[in-house]
Amino acid sequence: QVQLVESGGGLVQAGGSLRLSCVASGIILSFNAMAWYRQAPGKQRELVASITRGGSTNYADSVKGRFTISRGNAKNTVFLQMNSLEPEDTAVYYCNGELMRINYWGQGTQVTVSS
């Protein structure tokens, strides 16, 4: 059974930083791509950042220049470094891995940014 487990969320003041981590287990192959999504209360889940197995990255306009996605040395690990956090970044952040057109999701980690 494939499991993705996120960690690193929490409460931070505006302007602060957090680093999210995601580790996958139960899978032998490497994900084609991994990504971070977020969902704020009353809003749809949105893509924050993604990274392919080859290292190509993509960011939502709202986080460009502030967030950095990277893959770890261990297979199927991904990080999200979040700097200059804003109250608008408050959401549950979900890790995603895609393999053979199947998407796998973590349970989410809460990020709360106070003003």
Side-chain angles (χ1 to χ4, degrees):
Q1 181 179 357
V2 179
Q3 287 189 318
L4 281 70
V5 179
E6 304 100 334
S7 61
L11 173 64
V12 64
Q13 288 188 332
S17 299
L18 284 174
R19 179 177 170 86
L20 304 183
S21 300
C22 174
V23 179
S25 60
I27 181 169
I28 296 175
L29 300 176
S30 294
F31 288 122
N32 291 329
M34 298 191 75
W36 289 95
Y37 286 74
R38 68 186 180 187
Q39 187 167 19
K43 294 188 177 181
Q44 290 188 330
R45 189 173 297 190
E46 63 174 358
L47 175 67
V48 176
S50 64
I51 185 167
T52 67
R53 190 161 50 192
S56 297
T57 58
N58 181 53
Y59 295 92
D61 288 342
S62 60
V63 306
K64 282 181 181 177
R66 301 188 298 122
F67 291 10
T68 302
I69 189 171
S70 61
R71 294 186 76 148
N73 291 330
K75 186 170 59 179
N76 294 328
T77 60
V78 67
F79 306 100
L80 186 67
Q81 178 66 44
M82 304 186 294
N83 298 328
S84 302
L85 282 161
E86 303 168 352
E88 293 73 22
D89 297 317
T90 295
V92 178
Y93 284 70
Y94 296 91
C95 178
N96 167 275
E98 181 273 322
L99 180 64
M100 292 186 279
R101 301 185 182 181
I102 298 175
N103 282 284
Y104 299 90
W105 295 91
Q107 81 289 349
T109 185
Q110 177 70 46
V111 171
T112 303
V113 184
S114 64
S115 56

